[in-house]
Amino acid sequence: MTISVDSARARTILAEATERARQNAYRVPAPMETKIEQIINHTHLTYKYVLLNGMLAKATNPAANPLVLQAGSPLEGAFDARSLCHSVVVPFEQTVLEKRLGGSNEPFLNKPARFPHLSTENAVRRGKDRETLERLIAVGEMANAQGNADEALVAVLAHILRLESRVVTFAEGRFDAVASKRAILSLLESLMAQSCEGESLALSVALLFELLAKTQGGDLHVASHPANQSGASSNEISDIDVFEADGKTARYCCEAKDKPFTRADIDHAAGKVAESGHSTMMFIYGPNARTTENLPSIVTEYEAKGFDLTFVSSAAFADGIVALAPSVSWAEITELLNKHLALMRAKEGTITHCRAALAAV
């Protein structure tokens, strides 16, 4: 029988536990804390959410089983873990915890959370990921046996708070000020001055498309995707995709390249767009991009096939979009940057570089 975990009560418990965590006011057995620390410091994002969600559920309702992932699990103490995570944990993690777990919107849609419950039989890569799964199961079993999920929750939060914030901020005194076009271009130039394995260009292009969306009424949806991870997002066509208001119909498909590229790179990117049923693509190249290809000739060749291909430098794209952009505040720009840092699952180095670029404006 599925038990209930009250969301309102869970929010209160989570907030109170976080305040205790800031003071390191908790006590759990050393073996339990060691495993918690190892899980939180590992790179597997989904398991971090599962750990926090499970301890919160049991701290809220002691009858809940933190090993449960789906309401239909045959384990005693089954509950709707996905609903609790998406309604309580996700918004809290994105605001109060400053996206320290990665800023995922729907972590329980990831494959590791699609099993009925945590088990060593669940499919997982060998090595560190399997070790993390085993530790996660051990912590859940400890919480069930010892009845100390309330303390374990505080311990989990304490270790999360020791992670680097994944949110960028702007100078408080200027936060609501309007960003001049010169300052926006300066920010973009600073961002693209350091490639960060292509993430800086993708972030800059995503921001520019957001500004373009504002000039067109704000109904467009700009989606960026993890760099160098083709297919990592279910609706991914190119590096940055801009959809109509329905969130499904593509308006712009954009490849962002900030390293030397060849004809094969162009054909691969255009091929993905064509396979998705579209016939238009922008290829934006950054300051670190180089090629020996005859780009105008390639454009003509694709045009003959009924495919509209456009090459544009990131500097030219920035100049054109910013010139047409409406007035925006630094608060809006910061919000948009944080949105795409999360969508891209940006590396820590990229986030640090983005902070520095904002500080230099």
Side-chain angles (χ1 to χ4, degrees):
M1 178 179 177
T2 303
I3 67 168
S4 64
V5 177
D6 184 77
S7 295
R9 176 169 166 74
R11 289 188 187 93
T12 299
I13 289 174
L14 186 55
E16 292 174 349
T18 301
E19 291 308 308
R20 288 181 58 196
R22 295 187 193 280
Q23 307 300 321
N24 290 317
Y26 62 89
R27 179 175 294 180
V28 295
M32 187 181 209
E33 178 160 22
T34 297
K35 287 180 171 57
I36 288 172
E37 181 179 13
Q38 290 170 327
I39 294 166
I40 296 302
N41 289 331
H42 184 48
T43 56
H44 202 301
L45 300 183
T46 304
Y47 286 154
K48 299 180 187 185
Y49 282 97
V50 170
L51 175 62
L52 176 58
N53 197 63
M55 291 305 110
L56 174 60
K58 193 162 186 67
T60 304
N61 184 344
N65 189 335
L67 298 175
V68 166
L69 297 174
Q70 304 285 344
S73 169
L75 296 183
E76 183 177 351
F79 66 100
D80 191 346
R82 177 183 170 186
S83 292
L84 177 68
C85 185
H86 292 178
S87 65
V88 179
V89 171
V90 164
F92 192 85
E93 188 268 345
Q94 293 186 352
T95 54
V96 178
L97 298 182
E98 296 183 337
K99 302 184 180 179
R100 284 177 166 87
L101 296 185
S104 175
N105 286 326
E106 296 185 315
F108 267 63
L109 292 184
N110 297 334
K111 188 174 180 179
R114 290 184 177 179
F115 298 95
H117 51 267
L118 295 172
S119 167
T120 55
E121 300 299 314
N122 294 358
V124 65
R125 288 180 297 184
R126 295 178 181 179
K128 296 295 184 181
D129 286 357
R130 174 156 291 279
E131 291 175 4
T132 302
L133 171 61
E134 292 170 352
R135 289 167 181 149
L136 187 56
I137 293 171
V139 171
E141 291 174 342
M142 289 178 187
N144 282 335
Q146 300 170 17
N148 63 345
D150 53 344
E151 292 296 312
L153 173 62
V154 180
V156 170
L157 287 161
H159 285 284
I160 291 173
L161 289 170
R162 291 168 197 165
L163 298 176
E164 190 73 26
S165 168
R166 293 180 60 83
V167 170
V168 297
T169 57
F170 194 70
E172 188 174 343
R174 301 163 58 199
F175 195 66
D176 293 325
V178 172
S180 70
K181 297 186 186 302
R182 180 208 61 79
I184 295 173
L185 288 171
S186 177
L187 168 64
L188 291 165
E189 183 179 2
S190 295
L191 277 175
M192 290 186 283
Q194 184 173 321
S195 177
C196 296
E197 299 181 42
E199 289 188 340
S200 294
L201 176 62
L203 179 64
S204 300
V205 172
L207 175 60
L208 287 165
F209 272 118
E210 293 281 7
L211 296 179
L212 177 64
K214 287 182 179 293
T215 69
Q216 299 185 18
D219 290 331
L220 298 178
H221 296 274
V222 181
S224 52
H225 313 287
N228 306 314
Q229 296 182 41
S230 179
S233 301
S234 60
N235 64 338
E236 176 180 352
I237 302 173
S238 296
D239 291 333
I240 299 95
D241 301 311
V242 183
F243 297 95
E244 303 289 355
D246 61 8
K248 299 178 181 179
T249 306
R251 170 83 69 89
Y252 306 109
C253 300
C254 175
E255 184 76 5
K257 189 72 70 176
D258 196 30
K259 62 182 181 181
F261 61 94
T262 65
R263 174 61 186 264
D265 296 316
I266 298 168
D267 290 344
H268 177 70
K272 288 194 301 179
V273 173
E275 288 172 7
S276 298
H278 305 287
S279 59
T280 302
M281 185 185 81
M282 298 178 65
F283 192 109
I284 298 179
Y285 51 91
N288 298 296
R290 302 288 186 275
T291 190
T292 59
E293 302 292 342
N294 185 327
L295 300 184
S297 176
I298 295 174
V299 168
T300 301
E301 180 181 332
Y302 267 89
E303 183 181 13
K305 299 176 183 177
F307 192 97
D308 199 357
L309 176 62
T310 302
F311 291 99
V312 61
S313 72
S314 56
F317 187 64
D319 285 343
I321 297 300
V322 172
L324 298 173
S327 296
V328 291
S329 69
W330 285 112
E332 292 175 278
I333 289 177
T334 304
E335 181 181 1
L336 292 171
L337 288 171
N338 279 317
K339 169 189 172 180
H340 289 284
L341 285 169
L343 288 174
M344 293 164 47
R345 303 174 199 163
K347 297 178 179 65
E348 293 296 338
T350 307
I351 296 170
T352 299
H353 172 56
C354 186
R355 286 198 189 99
L358 275 169
V361 173

